[in-house]
Amino acid sequence: MEVFGNGISVNEAGHLTLGGADAVSLAREYGTPLYLMDETVLRQNCRDFKDSIDRYYDGNGLVCYASKAFSCKEIYRIVKEEGLGADVVSGGELATALSVDFPADRICFHGNNKTTEELTMALNAGVGRIVADHIGELQMIGALAAKLGVTARVMLRIKPGVDAHTHDFVRTGQIDSKFGFALETGEALAAVKAALATPGLTLCGLHCHIGSQILDIEPFVHTAEVMLGFMAQVKRETGYTLSDLNLGGGFGIRYTEEDDAPPYQDYMEAVSQTVRAKAAELGLPVPFILIEPGRAIVAPAGVTLYTVGALKEIPNIRTYLSVDGGMTDNPRYILYQSRYEFVIANKATEPKTATVTVAGRCCESGDLLGEHLPLQEAETGDILAVLATGAYNYSMASNYNRVPRPPVVMVKDAVPRLIVRGESFSDMYRNDI
Ligand code: LLP
């Protein structure tokens, strides 16, 4: 019986299961808080995106998993095996990917302020595409490539000027964004000309990313139209045909019943129709397409488990249910008021008759995971599961209050394996002098 979807179900004991493994047993075995990931679900998501490149672009493209969503050695190994590329945004992500021999030519390196050290590392490793974000960076890449005796393959990050109807902090396509070159002001065209004139660079194409957790198809379609239009302008004004178009990530997922997320194939189909139609209309070849889903690949595969501690009822106001984690392992509620589905894992078949506010353990009033949530009647010692936490939870975790980061356990066919060790108290002062 798959009551929740994404490999999450309930067994005869009434316990929540993930990938066939009993969440309550896993909490007992590994302790809480605990991040769980279902390998079958995340591999399937990789395949769905890859298949749609095959179907809608005749295989002429590459899915680069946006590893900021969840970065550790094992995810790069899995993504590599699935034949995907990776988007990295820092020397740390790049180093982790390279540490498991991720093919460098399938890596896209992003960032609005990459350092000389990071760019040197990328050029030495032979990273397939460096996405330049400003003019100074183009010059820096050119100079470094000349010094190292290599040719850098570069894309330019463009702000297509599309409003993606998402949270302000995760909107990036509009002109007032720290990322990329603006189209409206002529900055983007000037950057193309500068890149073409810089020795040591091959300008392979353009990149854009309009935001994250986008639940409409229309902004993606509009972006593709704008980008093809600009590729045609580049050809007209410089005679140069750009070969690659990276359309970024941002595909929204269903966190709660209220999120009406279209299937990824629908986004891919609609965008590909626009890309093909526009290319034909403008006399351009259909570009090599890159996409960068992060959340859509890993979020649905993740569940976080906590142990319920203090319960505090404030009459006529609310009931606080405190857990042994919080903003340190999942800062998304405090940052974006993100909503999740909550289940008491050891009472998964019971009705949700209580209403609670889930509080974390940090010394901070805003440390909440959700407010006024429907939940089973809980008591101290119960295991609370938060669903769809596979993206931007572990990767955004912190050690505030010197709370150690939880371990990550991957489940495959009901068999768990530790993929990231939990931190210890001594890890909290490991670098202290
Ligand atoms: N490509 C680029 C250039 C990006 O900046 C991002 C996300 C992605 C791809 C992947 O986007 P996705 O498919 O995961 O939506 N911390 C926020 C999300 C920040 C996204 C940053 N960039 C959150 O927790 O919602």
Side-chain angles (χ1 to χ4, degrees):
M1 178 180 61
E2 183 144 323
V3 284
F4 295 95
N6 291 316
I8 294 169
S9 189
V10 179
N11 63 17
E12 313 77 62
H15 292 178
L16 199 75
T17 62
L18 171 132
D22 185 315
V24 181
S25 309
L26 292 174
R28 221 173 281 134
E29 185 178 347
Y30 293 96
T32 58
L34 177 63
Y35 293 117
L36 298 175
M37 295 290 274
D38 183 340
E39 185 169 343
T40 307
V41 172
L42 71 85
R43 281 191 189 265
Q44 190 55 50
N45 290 336
C46 290
R47 286 170 201 174
D48 286 350
F49 278 108
K50 193 160 183 285
D51 288 350
S52 51
I53 290 281
D54 293 343
R55 188 167 334 139
Y56 300 120
Y57 297 100
D58 306 320
N60 194 34
L62 181 66
V63 181
C64 287
Y65 162 63
S67 63
K68 70 208 76 183
F70 176 67
S71 174
C72 67
K73 286 184 175 187
E74 188 68 357
I75 191 76
Y76 291 110
R77 290 189 193 106
I78 291 174
V79 161
K80 172 175 127 181
E81 274 174 28
E82 292 297 331
L84 271 58
D87 144 1
V88 301
V89 74
S90 69
E93 287 180 0
L94 179 58
T96 311
L98 295 175
S99 77
V100 294
D101 297 324
F102 198 93
D105 61 336
R106 284 199 252 143
I107 294 180
C108 245
F109 187 21
H110 289 283
N112 64 309
N113 195 22
K114 304 175 203 71
T115 63
T116 309
E117 190 191 6
E118 287 173 323
L119 288 169
T120 304
M121 184 171 151
L123 290 170
N124 277 332
V127 160
R129 292 171 179 85
I130 298 178
V131 182
D133 199 272
H134 58 104
I135 288 283
E137 187 176 44
L138 275 178
Q139 290 156 354
M140 202 200 298
I141 299 169
L144 286 172
K147 194 168 127 197
L148 299 169
V150 296
T151 302
R153 295 191 71 228
V154 169
M155 305 188 92
L156 299 180
R157 174 147 186 175
I158 306 296
K159 292 187 240 197
V162 174
D163 185 349
H165 319 299
T166 186
H167 193 289
D168 269 359
F169 291 180
V170 291
R171 248 173 3 129
T172 54
Q174 73 286 7
I175 189 162
D176 182 9
S177 164
K178 69 171 180 170
F179 298 105
F181 300 97
L183 283 181
E184 299 93 313
T185 58
E187 189 190 19
L189 188 61
V192 169
K193 290 179 179 165
L196 292 175
T198 307
L201 304 187
T202 301
L203 180 62
C204 56
L206 305 177
H207 169 272
C208 58
H209 170 77
I210 54 172
S212 203
Q213 183 57 10
I214 300 170
L215 295 165
D216 294 340
I217 293 180
E218 194 276 327
F220 289 100
V221 168
H222 184 45
T223 301
E225 250 169 42
V226 171
M227 295 301 285
L228 265 291
F230 182 55
M231 290 173 97
Q233 187 188 0
V234 166
K235 190 171 174 201
R236 264 195 322 273
E237 302 210 13
T238 67
Y240 190 74
T241 304
L242 295 158
S243 66
D244 300 356
L245 175 59
N246 186 332
L247 292 164
F251 312 99
I253 70 136
R254 191 178 175 90
Y255 281 103
T256 69
E257 284 174 356
E258 285 157 45
D259 296 325
D260 191 9
Y264 314 136
Q265 285 80 356
D266 292 5
Y267 289 101
M268 298 295 290
E269 185 175 11
V271 172
S272 74
Q273 281 165 356
T274 302
V275 167
R276 287 174 182 285
K278 276 303 216 188
E281 178 192 324
L282 298 165
L284 293 172
V286 174
F288 182 86
I289 294 290
L290 296 105
I291 54 162
E292 298 172 332
R295 183 192 316 272
I297 289 181
V298 285
V303 168
T304 308
L305 302 180
Y306 304 95
T307 300
V308 176
L311 289 155
K312 192 169 287 180
E313 189 185 339
I314 307 177
N316 304 322
I317 301 187
R318 60 168 108 196
T319 298
Y320 283 100
L321 178 158
S322 292
V323 292
D324 50 356
M327 63 181 281
T328 44
D329 58 80
N330 182 357
R332 298 192 68 255
Y333 186 76
I334 198 168
L335 277 173
Y336 323 114
Q337 298 76 51
S338 304
R339 288 163 303 115
Y340 288 95
E341 186 168 343
F342 294 73
V343 184
I344 296 291
N346 50 303
K347 298 176 178 168
T349 50
E350 292 183 16
K352 292 185 172 179
T353 46
T355 302
V356 298
T357 287
V358 176
R361 50 158 305 155
C362 282
C363 212
E364 176 107 11
S365 301
D367 176 18
L368 305 174
L369 292 175
E371 294 176 83
H372 312 299
L373 306 161
L375 194 68
Q376 290 85 358
E377 298 294 333
E379 53 206 316
T380 303
D382 281 346
I383 301 299
L384 177 71
V386 186
L387 310 192
T389 56
Y392 304 111
N393 275 231
Y394 170 73
S395 66
M396 289 175 75
S398 78
N399 289 130
Y400 181 47
N401 288 181
R402 296 231 146 169
V403 173
R405 287 184 185 81
V408 187
V409 166
M410 184 74 81
V411 178
K412 188 175 187 206
D413 302 328
V415 180
R417 69 179 190 280
L418 190 65
I419 61 163
V420 181
R421 276 188 283 275
E423 290 171 331
S424 64
F425 290 135
S426 60
D427 286 331
M428 296 303 94
Y429 51 84
R430 193 182 46 206
N431 296 320
D432 292 8
I433 292 167

